[in-house]
Amino acid sequence: MVLSAGGRFETSSQIDYAGYFWLTIEVDLVSVEGMPSSPAPSSWEEYAKDLGIELQRRRIALDITQENLAHRAGLTRTHYQQLERGFWKPGSPANPSLKMLVRLAQALQLEVAELLPSGRDVEWPDT
């Protein structure tokens, strides 16, 4: 992964599938503070996924691996990967504890609030 002028990561990888071709992925990154915000999530599943995306953005901005961040926060790599995906298992959204969020924020040198998406539009099903 290479950071080019203009704050853009460029990644290339070769994929061999019924022949071969090159796949180039470009991800626009503005400074983390100035990243474009996405609409507020409307369900717990979307909220957990948005939290995972923010964890990934912050981790990549610090240029550390999932394994390294997990170790710093006292988690296993697999557990951290589940958080970054937003799901513990298919159909079950991530639900990290406050303690885990604080550990991750400390490992990323952030305040917890900087990781959390807005919850203002999350709708809860009638139970």
Side-chain angles (χ1 to χ4, degrees), residues 17 20 25 38 41-42 53-54 57-58 60 76 82 85 87-89 91 96 99 101 109-111 118-119 122-123:
Y17 180 76
Y20 64 92
I25 301 170
S38 57
S42 61
I53 290 168
E54 190 61 27
R57 284 179 176 172
R58 299 297 184 133
I60 289 170
T76 65
Q82 291 169 334
R85 278 194 310 269
F87 286 92
W88 294 121
K89 56 187 176 187
K99 183 177 183 179
L101 290 172
Q109 303 165 2
L110 302 169
E111 293 294 326
S118 171
V122 175
E123 294 180 14

Side-chain angles (χ1 to χ4, degrees), residues 9 14 16 25 38-39 78 84 118 127:
F9 279 107
Q14 186 174 2
D16 187 5
I25 301 170
S38 57
T78 303
E84 210 170 87
S118 171
T127 54

Side-chain angles (χ1 to χ4, degrees), residues 1-125:
M1 190 176 298
V2 177
L3 180 61
S4 64
R8 176 171 249 181
F9 279 107
E10 297 176 8
T11 305
S12 297
S13 60
Q14 186 174 2
I15 298 175
D16 187 5
Y17 180 76
Y20 64 92
F21 61 93
W22 284 95
L23 173 66
T24 301
I25 301 170
E26 293 184 4
V27 180
D28 283 330
L29 284 182
V30 185
S31 69
V32 173
E33 294 80 28
M35 281 196 172
S37 59
S38 57
S42 61
S43 68
W44 183 250
E45 290 81 7
E46 287 179 26
Y47 188 89
K49 196 172 195 176
D50 285 358
L51 173 61
I53 290 168
E54 190 61 27
L55 283 167
Q56 183 181 43
R57 284 179 176 172
R58 299 297 184 133
R59 177 182 59 78
I60 289 170
L62 289 176
D63 194 29
I64 56 178
T65 65
Q66 289 178 331
E67 186 170 15
N68 187 284
L69 178 56
H71 178 73
R72 290 180 188 186
L75 305 171
T76 65
R77 178 186 49 84
T78 303
H79 195 164
Y80 176 77
Q81 287 174 329
Q82 291 169 334
L83 288 173
E84 210 170 87
R85 278 194 310 269
F87 286 92
W88 294 121
K89 56 187 176 187
S92 180
N95 192 10
S97 68
L98 181 56
K99 183 177 183 179
M100 188 180 306
L101 290 172
V102 170
R103 285 178 167 182
L104 286 165
Q106 288 174 335
L108 291 166
Q109 303 165 2
L110 302 169
E111 293 294 326
V112 175
E114 295 176 77
L115 288 176
L116 301 177
S118 171
R120 71 176 178 267
D121 295 334
V122 175
E123 294 180 14
W124 302 98

